Amino acid sequence: MKKTTLLLLALLTCTYFAKAEDGHELWLRNKSATNVNIQTAKKSPVLDIAINELKKGWLGKNDAKLKFEFSTDASIKGDGFRLERSTIKAKTDLGILYGTFEMLRRQYLGKADENFSSNPSYSRRILNHWDNLDGSVERGYAGKSIFWRNDQDLTISQADRELYQLYGRANASVGINGTVLNNVNASAKILTAPYLKKVQAIAGILRPYGLKVYLSVNFSAPVTIGKLKTADPLDAQVRKWWADKAKEIYQLVPDFGGFLVKANSEGQPGPQDFGRTHVDGANMMADAVAPFGGIVMWRAFVYQTSEQDRTKQAYNEFLHYDGQFKKNVILQVKNGPLDFQPREPFSALFGAMNQTPVMPEFQITQEYLGQSKQLAFLSTLWEECLNSDTYQKGKGSTVAACTDGTLSKNPLTAIAGVANIGSDRNWTGHIFAQSNWYAFGRLAWNNQLKSEDIADEWIRQTFLDAGEKAKDQAFVKPVKEMMLESREAIVNYMMPLGLHHIFAEGHHYGPAPWFANTKIRADWTSVYYHKADTIGLGFNRSHTGSNSVEQYHEPLRSKLDNLATCPEEYLLWFHHVPWTYKLKNGKDLWTELCYRYDTGVQQVRTFQKTWDKVHGLVDEERFTAVQSKLRTQSRDAQIWKDACLLYFQTFSKRDIPYDIERPVHDLEALKKLTKSKSYE
Amino acid sequence: MKKTTLLLLALLTCTYFAKAEDGHELWLRNKSATNVNIQTAKKSPVLDIAINELKKGWLGKNDAKLKFEFSTDASIKGDGFRLERSTIKAKTDLGILYGTFEMLRRQYLGKADENFSSNPSYSRRILNHWDNLDGSVERGYAGKSIFWRNDQDLTISQADRELYQLYGRANASVGINGTVLNNVNASAKILTAPYLKKVQAIAGILRPYGLKVYLSVNFSAPVTIGKLKTADPLDAQVRKWWADKAKEIYQLVPDFGGFLVKANSEGQPGPQDFGRTHVDGANMMADAVAPFGGIVMWRAFVYQTSEQDRTKQAYNEFLHYDGQFKKNVILQVKNGPLDFQPREPFSALFGAMNQTPVMPEFQITQEYLGQSKQLAFLSTLWEECLNSDTYQKGKGSTVAACTDGTLSKNPLTAIAGVANIGSDRNWTGHIFAQSNWYAFGRLAWNNQLKSEDIADEWIRQTFLDAGEKAKDQAFVKPVKEMMLESREAIVNYMMPLGLHHIFAEGHHYGPAPWFANTKIRADWTSVYYHKADTIGLGFNRSHTGSNSVEQYHEPLRSKLDNLATCPEEYLLWFHHVPWTYKLKNGKDLWTELCYRYDTGVQQVRTFQKTWDKVHGLVDEERFTAVQSKLRTQSRDAQIWKDACLLYFQTFSKRDIPYDIERPVHDLEALKKLTKSKSYE
């Protein structure tokens, strides 16, 4: 090579490495190199967005012609669409916008230019922001709230506006069409005029992106801010207060989505405080918003301090209300019966309600899966839940089918995801946590998508150039494998074989299987859940125990109830298993537990190798950020393994098999460490 | 089995595990089960100790007869001895005592009852306590000083007395016959009357165990406590002051050993402050103690802030004084030319002096080898030094031969070890650190002993019952292998291939290869020693560099000077080696460096497995204490590996080979961590 060529190469290399990518653009990194001519018979803000996206991101033939076509085709449903060679067909403006994003995505991914139709699985696909009005985010690990700062500052800056626009684009690109702007542990202040004015402004910015805003409301609001003496849902004044409040909101935000309510749950007020039922409470609010087309999402996440197994309570509380709720009420049910653990069986409520619609609540923010310090692609978790068979109406009655209208034919369908979004430049704290926002949207749109395909799409849009195929083997394949394995690795090093909720108190990051405290409710401690003793480990929920299995339909009920047939990934969820019990692979429980924990640690080390090997195939900034997070994860996986094995060993009284790497921490030191503020 | 048998078994098991061993008894756990009848024609306090030891620890035939015989046999030298079937022969009372301990050791180890002779390699075998008068111990990791508390409390309690007696027994059992009671960084106060009175009392307790006391003295003492205007060694008043002080000491302690002096070294005062030489200073003190049979141990550990390679300075300073010192002066030289690093070549001074005697100074306390947190059996390090060939008088002129009188025929021979002893119940902080005290004594007695044999003796006396053979395969073998490999593991994960002194400032525990500070002398920083740059790594001390190789005799000089022949364990000590330089195994420097660091980490993990596997073969208390220390060592080995590889990588610009486990720390985090107080 000549010297000048070398110099040029050197310069190009510098440019390459200098191409800073901080993750702020998410999976929306497409930049058009060609022109497109759009033909549309209609104008609207939503369509303007679509046109703008096409001009910014068009990767098809230069000067190609593209037509927006409003169709009455019966195969297109709701905001669905159909892509043909040079046409985007839809029934609604939003259908055109979603079709636009799909077309651009297919171009970016280098997919063949063939006809493609898609309709949404759920009519409402909603983010739940657990954002407090003081700017903090409950279970948020990516900075502060993007919506709220404090009572004194309810302004929207130009930077805010641009942030909300990008937020709108990102959500629209994956089909999310609703957002709850505040924490379910709600401050009543959100319903006061200054806050509603800001809600109006935010709604205005998000509207062209197809995002409806919703609010979490506090059941006591009529007392707290309304100066009434009661919040009794059967009280006429209370009912009027909510009706007036709804009217006030709809005057500001005509397409307001509705209310999300956490009532009589973990200390939140609710109708039971006034001797009323969840039905009374939910229906009162439903009546208030019904005239304007609003809905009420009533959370089923309730449990009392009682002798009853916590995982049974929501089902027992709500089952007998089936059919008593107003038509615009939907029950919002967490994927598992406990609380967003690394692995839970599905909540029996999904297969229980015949008339009242139920919507899944997934947690995108990784409260229990390593927060934004660890790499956990949650699509596999959600896919597992959606594909779980409830047997409600025979084989094939999956959670997906029970909630998306397939089985119930209920027109109100919805799905919620607790957002992992904050003010961090990269939105989600961990670059790979962006994939969970993406995956939630994609699964909410199409609950039959495969995690593998979602990961593939996300990786290419996030890290590769448009249509790039050269890195398939060296980058896409190993990174995808890492993502698909990531949640299982966490299950292994945190809570294998059906263990659950043995987290450190409060922060829910590190391990504290030893956590016991007689001063708080038992079901907020770890020992309540693992029930380790000299005999064995696990919570007996079979018919000889709490009998939570009875909430499931046959043949699943018997399968779970029987130690021999219970899937091993749920073994310690449903059974108290002797340390010496032989698992399917011939190892006894203690031995297998040791191997599982160790496997989890080894998996994270493999992730580190996987990522280190792609050095140079991705920009340095994001490479280093992810590398650093994986190092933390590796250390913390070791802490989990050591803490759990050393603690459970005090019951099993068995040695850790000697072919397994030894713990590098002392149990007592870990008890101190995981309590310390610096560890959170 | 009958129920009563089971009960009995259970009780026995409980007793077994309840047999608490906290390490306080060191390797002196022999308890006599049989009687011995001792015949001695002489009585003395030393012989009383011998008789007492035999009665306490006799493991031979019951009612056996044993005779102390004072012999003129020419094969018995100094305090040497000869053991015959029922006789201990010696020339001195101490010879009888040392023979007694050897006989008891042989009984404990189950050795055949055959004739055995042994003479000491060095006439003076001395511990150096770096104990300050305020009770702290410089580079001590096992609690406070056993000798000093503070100026206000110079009493000796009954507990102190018992401790000193056990200290005396332990030292006598391995042949140590001298102890310097205070830090070489000496306070002049040690020479004041109240302190000398305590020295007298301590000497009285230790005397029957054959231990002479010595003191470290401060060269400025005539000014500091003597109220003279100068400490000039040629000043008549100063000379008189020292002569008077010596007389005062010898009146209190007639067998006082002499002075240890750190002069003109690291800020300590010395003769050069008055324009005089080390010879002037040492000879003045030698004159003061000569009338009483005392000696002066003058430390050669001197280096100035200068352009000259620090490792050359002691040699250059002292070589031309050879033969000018008084007969009762001996130069005390650290094993390596730098400062007790995990691995150094031997100090060239050992092969340089033809007339002035030289004594090795080893460091028993693990200042640079993981302190009392890590398992490092230092016998292999010392054996390596003693067996190093200086070629002073041709092949075979080992450091041992140069210092033990073999080559020089000098009657004054000595060896010193910086003690690792403190007020901790187990004496040395780490149970396995006891083995270094033991090994120093054994090598000082016989510098031809093999580390493997020393380890075997120590393990059996420390952990097994007398004569126990059943645990040879399961316990002795693996634990011995661990000990013998332990120092090499530390070299691997701290400073492989000849790297040196890349420790964190001050505490010398963790890594800080990045440590640079223009405000202090360069040779107190790490970058001075490793000299990493984009070309390569290491300190060029060949003829093209600082030429420290010139201080060694041929053929060693040329061997070290030549990159191709320089032993790889000293490679980066003597050469600045390109990252791409191919080592003997075909790997280049960077790659090999990575593997060495990783190997060190894996070695510690193997030590953990080794130790965990002996669970049940050793008492629970010591098992757990060692297990916990090994866990810490495992974590800290990882910190060393990560810190060094990530830092050197900033120069090599190379990836860490992908079959190696990835770092789990970020470089910047490690820079903060190793600086923090909590890490020390």
Side-chain angles (χ1 to χ4, degrees):
Chain A
M1 275 191 281
K2 283 187 197 155
K3 263 195 175 173
T4 46
T5 322
L6 276 171
L7 187 70
L8 193 67
L9 250 177
L11 277 170
L12 279 168
T13 312
C14 287
T15 315
Y16 173 74
F17 282 110
K19 195 178 76 174
E21 296 241 23
D22 56 15
H24 189 64
E25 292 186 85
L26 297 161
W27 51 87
L28 299 165
R29 297 163 52 258
N30 49 342
K31 302 278 182 293
S32 177
T34 52
N35 183 45
V36 61
N37 300 301
I38 297 149
Q39 189 189 337
T40 175
K42 190 180 162 192
K43 287 277 282 178
S44 80
V46 171
L47 294 178
D48 285 348
I49 298 283
I51 291 167
N52 191 31
E53 289 294 329
L54 285 164
K55 289 196 181 293
K56 280 196 302 192
W58 182 257
L59 296 163
K61 284 199 188 115
N62 193 25
D63 279 331
K65 286 187 171 34
L66 182 70
K67 191 177 158 195
F68 292 169
E69 187 178 315
F70 290 88
S71 164
T72 53
D73 185 339
S75 74
I76 301 176
K77 295 179 196 307
D79 293 326
F81 56 83
R82 177 170 176 79
L83 308 183
E84 291 172 1
R85 174 176 284 270
S86 55
T87 312
I88 300 176
K89 289 187 181 173
K91 285 184 166 156
T92 64
D93 292 6
L94 266 179
I96 297 289
L97 181 60
Y98 296 142
T100 291
F101 276 111
E102 180 66 33
M103 182 169 269
L104 293 174
R105 176 160 49 235
R106 295 172 73 83
Q107 287 180 347
Y108 197 92
L109 299 173
K111 290 194 177 175
D113 187 16
E114 54 196 17
N115 294 352
F116 178 81
S117 292
S118 190
N119 293 316
S121 297
Y122 299 92
S123 59
R124 303 200 185 222
R125 305 169 298 275
I126 303 172
L127 287 184
N128 288 185
H129 285 267
W130 287 358
D131 291 19
N132 297 313
L133 304 188
D134 65 0
S136 63
V137 181
E138 184 165 333
R139 309 303 177 185
Y141 313 103
K144 309 286 280 179
S145 167
I146 60 169
F147 297 121
W148 313 109
R149 286 186 202 94
N150 54 62
D151 292 352
Q152 278 65 54
D153 183 2
L154 293 168
T155 58
I156 294 178
S157 68
Q158 181 55 27
D160 289 340
R161 178 174 299 272
E162 284 166 16
L163 197 72
Y164 298 161
Q165 285 168 338
L166 182 46
Y167 171 86
R169 282 182 69 205
N171 282 316
S173 76
V174 291
I176 292 169
N177 69 357
T179 177
V180 182
L181 298 179
N182 63 320
N183 191 358
V184 287
N185 292 318
S187 164
K189 279 192 298 194
I190 191 70
L191 296 177
T192 58
Y195 277 95
L196 290 177
K197 209 179 141 202
K198 179 159 184 179
V199 171
Q200 178 187 28
I202 295 171
I205 299 168
L206 300 181
R207 187 171 292 114
Y209 299 95
L211 277 172
K212 279 188 181 170
V213 301
Y214 298 74
L215 293 177
S216 294
V217 294
N218 186 301
F219 202 82
S220 296
V223 177
T224 327
I225 61 167
K227 297 182 179 170
L228 299 188
K229 295 239 162 62
T230 179
D232 180 348
L234 300 192
D235 182 279
Q237 277 192 295
V238 172
R239 298 180 68 83
K240 181 173 185 302
W241 188 90
W242 281 107
D244 290 347
K245 185 53 74 180
K247 196 173 165 192
E248 178 189 353
I249 295 170
Y250 277 93
Q251 277 169 352
L252 295 165
V253 187
D255 56 354
F256 179 72
F259 294 146
L260 170 62
V261 194
K262 177 177 180 177
N264 291 123
S265 165
E266 295 181 331
Q268 291 298 318
Q272 294 173 338
D273 302 342
F274 309 95
R276 312 301 181 189
T277 68
H278 285 288
V279 173
D280 298 330
N283 286 350
M284 170 197 65
M285 290 200 185
D287 286 342
V289 294
F292 313 100
I295 66 165
V296 170
M297 298 166 287
W298 195 266
R299 288 176 98 235
F301 179 65
V302 302
Y303 57 102
Q304 307 293 325
T305 311
S306 84
E307 289 298 300
Q308 195 183 36
D309 175 3
R310 173 173 157 186
T311 67
K312 293 180 70 177
Q313 296 188 31
Y315 176 100
N316 287 346
E317 178 72 35
F318 281 95
L319 186 65
H320 58 286
Y321 296 137
D322 188 21
Q324 297 181 37
F325 290 100
K326 299 276 178 173
K327 289 266 176 258
N328 60 336
V329 174
I330 188 165
L331 281 186
Q332 183 165 319
V333 176
K334 292 186 181 185
N335 55 287
L338 183 52
D339 191 10
F340 298 137
Q341 298 302 290
R343 171 165 276 131
E344 298 188 40
F346 67 88
S347 166
L349 267 174
F350 289 118
M353 306 301 265
N354 283 305
Q355 298 172 64
T356 298
V358 173
M359 61 186 283
E361 176 179 320
F362 293 152
Q363 195 179 40
I364 308 172
T365 191
Q366 296 164 233
E367 175 179 359
Y368 292 103
L369 286 106
Q371 302 173 4
S372 286
K373 293 183 184 177
Q374 304 191 8
L375 193 158
F377 181 52
L378 301 181
S379 183
T380 51
L381 189 164
W382 302 327
E383 191 184 347
E384 180 175 289
C385 174
L386 290 166
N387 292 338
S388 294
D389 201 336
T390 71
Y391 294 94
Q392 184 179 18
K393 294 182 179 173
K395 194 165 159 54
S397 304
T398 62
V399 171
C402 290
T403 54
D404 67 5
T406 305
L407 291 182
S408 69
K409 306 296 172 200
N410 204 310
L412 177 51
T413 61
I415 187 166
V418 182
N420 61 350
I421 295 163
S423 60
D424 279 3
R425 179 74 187 161
N426 72 9
W427 295 91
T428 55
H430 197 310
I431 295 287
F432 276 81
Q434 296 179 355
S435 70
N436 293 325
W437 179 5
Y438 183 88
F440 170 74
R442 297 291 284 144
L443 282 171
W445 179 269
N446 180 356
N447 62 17
Q448 299 307 304
L449 284 182
K450 299 280 162 264
S451 294
E452 187 178 344
D453 297 325
I454 296 172
D456 194 281
E457 289 178 4
W458 179 80
I459 291 169
R460 291 175 190 278
Q461 294 172 85
T462 302
F463 293 113
L464 269 50
D465 289 336
E468 196 174 12
K469 295 288 175 196
K471 294 178 183 165
D472 277 16
Q473 283 304 310
F475 187 85
V476 179
K477 187 169 176 284
V479 172
K480 186 162 54 183
E481 282 171 3
M482 170 173 74
M483 289 174 72
L484 292 172
E485 193 182 324
S486 60
R487 178 261 187 147
E488 206 64 40
I490 287 180
V491 169
N492 279 331
Y493 65 71
M494 285 187 184
M495 278 164 261
L497 296 169
L499 284 172
H500 48 286
H501 219 311
I502 55 177
F503 290 96
E505 190 192 6
H507 58 66
H508 294 172
Y509 180 74
W514 48 80
F515 178 58
N517 184 342
T518 53
K519 288 180 190 154
I520 61 171
R521 43 195 301 175
D523 58 9
W524 283 358
T525 69
S526 299
V527 295
Y528 174 85
Y529 294 104
H530 63 67
K531 303 208 186 296
D533 57 25
T534 54
I535 309 297
L537 183 66
F539 198 130
N540 182 359
R541 295 191 172 103
S542 76
H543 72 278
T544 65
S546 80
N547 203 17
S548 81
V549 293
E550 73 175 342
Q551 299 184 338
Y552 294 93
H553 298 289
E554 289 289 10
L556 181 60
R557 179 191 300 173
S558 296
K559 186 179 176 187
L560 297 174
D561 192 40
N562 184 341
L563 180 55
T565 57
C566 181
E568 288 185 348
E569 63 263 36
Y570 301 124
L571 200 67
L572 306 177
W573 183 285
F574 287 112
H575 298 277
H576 190 68
V577 182
W579 296 112
T580 52
Y581 179 78
K582 284 277 189 304
L583 301 187
K584 295 195 180 78
N585 63 8
K587 295 199 179 82
D588 65 29
L589 173 63
W590 166 250
T591 306
E592 181 64 11
L593 196 74
C594 293
Y595 281 107
R596 292 278 179 128
Y597 274 106
D598 189 61
T599 298
V601 172
Q602 302 302 336
Q603 283 172 301
V604 181
R605 290 186 185 163
T606 304
F607 298 163
Q608 288 190 272
K609 282 190 185 175
T610 296
W611 189 252
D612 278 6
K613 280 185 194 171
V614 304
H615 189 207
L617 299 179
V618 58
D619 58 285
E620 200 66 11
E621 183 169 351
R622 288 186 299 174
F623 174 80
T624 306
V626 172
Q627 184 186 50
S628 174
K629 298 267 187 191
L630 282 169
R631 287 171 178 167
T632 299
Q633 185 170 355
S634 195
R635 294 197 307 276
D636 291 344
Q638 174 104 50
I639 285 173
W640 268 97
K641 169 190 159 186
D642 289 4
C644 295
L645 289 186
L646 291 175
Y647 171 74
F648 290 133
Q649 191 178 38
T650 65
F651 298 95
S652 80
K653 309 280 187 197
R654 298 264 301 277
D655 286 325
I656 296 166
Y658 290 114
D659 56 343
I660 288 178
E661 212 178 283
R662 317 317 290 168
V664 298
H665 303 90
D666 284 332
L667 183 56
E668 292 311 309
L670 288 174
K671 287 183 181 178
K672 274 183 209 141
L673 173 73
T674 58
K675 247 187 180 170
S676 74
K677 266 280 163 200
S678 65
Y679 182 67
E680 293 179 23
Chain B
M1 276 191 281
K2 283 187 198 157
K3 263 196 174 171
T4 46
T5 322
L6 276 172
L7 187 69
L8 193 67
L9 250 178
L11 277 169
L12 280 169
T13 312
C14 287
T15 315
Y16 174 75
F17 282 111
K19 195 178 79 174
E21 296 241 24
D22 56 16
H24 189 63
E25 293 187 85
L26 297 161
W27 50 87
L28 299 166
R29 296 162 55 258
N30 48 341
K31 302 276 181 295
S32 177
T34 52
N35 183 43
V36 60
N37 300 302
I38 296 150
Q39 187 190 339
T40 174
K42 190 180 161 191
K43 287 276 283 178
S44 80
V46 171
L47 295 176
D48 284 348
I49 299 282
I51 291 166
N52 192 31
E53 288 295 328
L54 285 163
K55 289 198 180 291
K56 279 196 303 193
W58 182 257
L59 296 163
K61 284 200 187 114
N62 192 25
D63 279 332
K65 286 185 170 37
L66 182 70
K67 191 177 158 195
F68 292 169
E69 187 179 314
F70 290 88
S71 163
T72 53
D73 186 338
S75 74
I76 300 176
K77 296 181 196 306
D79 293 325
F81 56 83
R82 178 170 175 80
L83 308 183
E84 290 173 1
R85 174 175 284 270
S86 54
T87 313
I88 300 176
K89 289 187 183 175
K91 285 185 168 156
T92 63
D93 291 7
L94 265 180
I96 297 289
L97 181 61
Y98 295 142
T100 292
F101 275 111
E102 179 66 33
M103 183 170 267
L104 293 174
R105 177 160 49 234
R106 295 172 74 83
Q107 287 181 348
Y108 197 91
L109 298 174
K111 288 194 178 177
D113 187 17
E114 55 196 19
N115 294 351
F116 178 81
S117 293
S118 191
N119 293 316
S121 297
Y122 299 92
S123 59
R124 303 200 185 221
R125 305 169 297 276
I126 304 172
L127 287 184
N128 288 186
H129 285 267
W130 286 359
D131 291 17
N132 296 313
L133 305 186
D134 65 0
S136 63
V137 181
E138 184 166 332
R139 309 302 177 187
Y141 313 103
K144 309 286 280 180
S145 167
I146 60 169
F147 297 120
W148 313 109
R149 287 185 202 95
N150 54 62
D151 293 351
Q152 278 66 54
D153 184 3
L154 292 168
T155 58
I156 293 178
S157 67
Q158 181 55 27
D160 289 338
R161 179 175 298 272
E162 285 166 16
L163 197 72
Y164 298 160
Q165 285 168 340
L166 182 46
Y167 170 86
R169 282 181 68 206
N171 281 315
S173 77
V174 291
I176 292 170
N177 69 358
T179 176
V180 182
L181 299 179
N182 63 319
N183 191 356
V184 287
N185 292 318
S187 163
K189 278 192 299 194
I190 191 70
L191 296 177
T192 59
Y195 277 95
L196 289 177
K197 209 178 141 202
K198 179 158 182 178
V199 171
Q200 178 188 27
I202 295 172
I205 300 169
L206 300 181
R207 186 170 293 112
Y209 299 96
L211 277 173
K212 280 188 181 169
V213 300
Y214 298 74
L215 293 178
S216 295
V217 294
N218 186 300
F219 201 82
S220 296
V223 177
T224 327
I225 61 167
K227 297 181 180 171
L228 300 189
K229 294 240 163 61
T230 178
D232 180 348
L234 299 193
D235 181 280
Q237 276 192 296
V238 172
R239 298 178 70 83
K240 181 173 185 306
W241 188 90
W242 281 107
D244 290 347
K245 185 55 71 179
K247 195 171 166 192
E248 178 189 352
I249 296 171
Y250 277 95
Q251 276 169 351
L252 296 165
V253 188
D255 57 353
F256 179 71
F259 294 145
L260 170 61
V261 194
K262 176 177 180 176
N264 292 123
S265 165
E266 295 182 333
Q268 291 298 318
Q272 294 173 339
D273 301 342
F274 309 95
R276 311 302 180 187
T277 68
H278 284 288
V279 173
D280 297 329
N283 285 351
M284 170 197 66
M285 291 201 184
D287 285 341
V289 294
F292 313 100
I295 66 164
V296 171
M297 296 167 287
W298 195 265
R299 287 175 101 235
F301 179 64
V302 301
Y303 57 101
Q304 307 293 325
T305 311
S306 84
E307 289 298 299
Q308 195 183 37
D309 174 4
R310 172 173 157 187
T311 67
K312 293 180 70 178
Q313 296 187 31
Y315 176 100
N316 287 345
E317 177 72 34
F318 281 94
L319 185 65
H320 59 285
Y321 295 137
D322 187 20
Q324 298 182 38
F325 290 100
K326 298 275 178 174
K327 288 266 175 262
N328 60 335
V329 174
I330 188 165
L331 280 188
Q332 183 164 320
V333 176
K334 292 185 181 184
N335 57 286
L338 183 51
D339 191 10
F340 297 137
Q341 297 302 290
R343 170 165 275 131
E344 298 189 39
F346 67 87
S347 166
L349 268 173
F350 288 119
M353 306 302 265
N354 284 304
Q355 297 172 67
T356 297
V358 172
M359 62 187 283
E361 176 179 321
F362 293 152
Q363 195 178 40
I364 308 172
T365 191
Q366 296 164 233
E367 175 180 359
Y368 293 103
L369 286 105
Q371 303 173 5
S372 286
K373 293 182 182 176
Q374 304 192 7
L375 193 159
F377 181 51
L378 300 182
S379 183
T380 51
L381 190 166
W382 303 327
E383 191 184 347
E384 180 177 289
C385 173
L386 290 166
N387 292 338
S388 293
D389 201 336
T390 70
Y391 294 95
Q392 184 179 19
K393 294 180 181 175
K395 193 165 159 56
S397 305
T398 61
V399 170
C402 291
T403 55
D404 67 5
T406 306
L407 290 183
S408 67
K409 306 296 173 201
N410 204 310
L412 177 52
T413 61
I415 187 167
V418 181
N420 61 349
I421 295 162
S423 60
D424 278 4
R425 179 74 187 161
N426 71 10
W427 295 90
T428 55
H430 197 308
I431 295 288
F432 276 81
Q434 296 179 354
S435 69
N436 294 325
W437 179 5
Y438 183 87
F440 169 74
R442 297 290 285 141
L443 282 171
W445 179 270
N446 181 355
N447 62 17
Q448 299 306 304
L449 285 182
K450 300 279 164 264
S451 294
E452 187 178 345
D453 296 325
I454 297 172
D456 194 282
E457 289 178 4
W458 178 80
I459 291 169
R460 291 176 189 277
Q461 293 172 86
T462 302
F463 293 113
L464 301 193
D465 289 337
E468 196 174 11
K469 295 286 175 199
K471 293 178 185 165
D472 277 16
Q473 283 304 310
F475 187 85
V476 180
K477 187 169 176 284
V479 172
K480 187 162 54 184
E481 283 170 2
M482 170 173 74
M483 288 174 73
L484 292 172
E485 193 183 325
S486 59
R487 178 261 189 146
E488 206 63 41
I490 287 181
V491 169
N492 280 332
Y493 66 70
M494 285 188 184
M495 279 164 261
L497 297 169
L499 284 172
H500 47 286
H501 219 310
I502 54 177
F503 290 97
E505 191 192 6
H507 60 66
H508 293 171
Y509 179 74
W514 48 79
F515 178 58
N517 184 342
T518 53
K519 289 180 189 154
I520 61 171
R521 45 195 301 176
D523 57 9
W524 283 358
T525 69
S526 299
V527 295
Y528 174 84
Y529 293 105
H530 64 66
K531 302 209 187 295
D533 57 25
T534 54
I535 308 298
L537 183 66
F539 198 129
N540 183 359
R541 295 190 171 106
S542 76
H543 72 279
T544 65
S546 81
N547 203 18
S548 81
V549 294
E550 74 176 341
Q551 300 184 337
Y552 294 94
H553 298 291
E554 288 292 7
L556 181 60
R557 180 190 301 174
S558 296
K559 187 179 175 187
L560 298 174
D561 191 40
N562 183 341
L563 180 55
T565 57
C566 181
E568 287 185 347
E569 63 263 37
Y570 301 123
L571 200 67
L572 305 178
W573 183 286
F574 288 112
H575 298 278
H576 189 68
V577 182
W579 296 113
T580 53
Y581 178 79
K582 283 278 190 304
L583 301 186
K584 294 195 181 76
N585 64 9
K587 295 200 180 82
D588 65 31
L589 173 64
W590 167 250
T591 306
E592 180 64 10
L593 196 75
C594 293
Y595 281 108
R596 292 277 179 127
Y597 274 106
D598 189 61
T599 298
V601 172
Q602 302 302 335
Q603 283 172 303
V604 181
R605 289 186 184 162
T606 304
F607 299 162
Q608 288 192 273
K609 282 190 186 176
T610 297
W611 189 251
D612 277 6
K613 279 185 194 171
V614 304
H615 189 206
L617 299 179
V618 58
D619 57 286
E620 201 66 10
E621 183 169 350
R622 289 186 298 175
F623 174 80
T624 305
V626 172
Q627 183 186 53
S628 174
K629 298 267 187 191
L630 282 169
R631 287 171 178 168
T632 299
Q633 185 170 355
S634 194
R635 294 196 307 275
D636 291 343
Q638 175 104 50
I639 285 174
W640 267 98
K641 169 191 160 187
D642 289 4
C644 295
L645 289 186
L646 291 175
Y647 171 73
F648 290 133
Q649 191 178 37
T650 65
F651 298 96
S652 80
K653 309 282 186 195
R654 299 262 302 274
D655 286 324
I656 296 166
Y658 290 113
D659 55 344
I660 288 178
E661 212 177 282
R662 317 318 290 169
V664 299
H665 303 90
D666 284 332
L667 183 55
E668 292 310 309
L670 287 174
K671 287 184 182 179
K672 274 183 209 141
L673 173 73
T674 59
K675 247 187 180 173
S676 73
K677 267 280 163 201
S678 66
Y679 182 67
E680 294 178 23

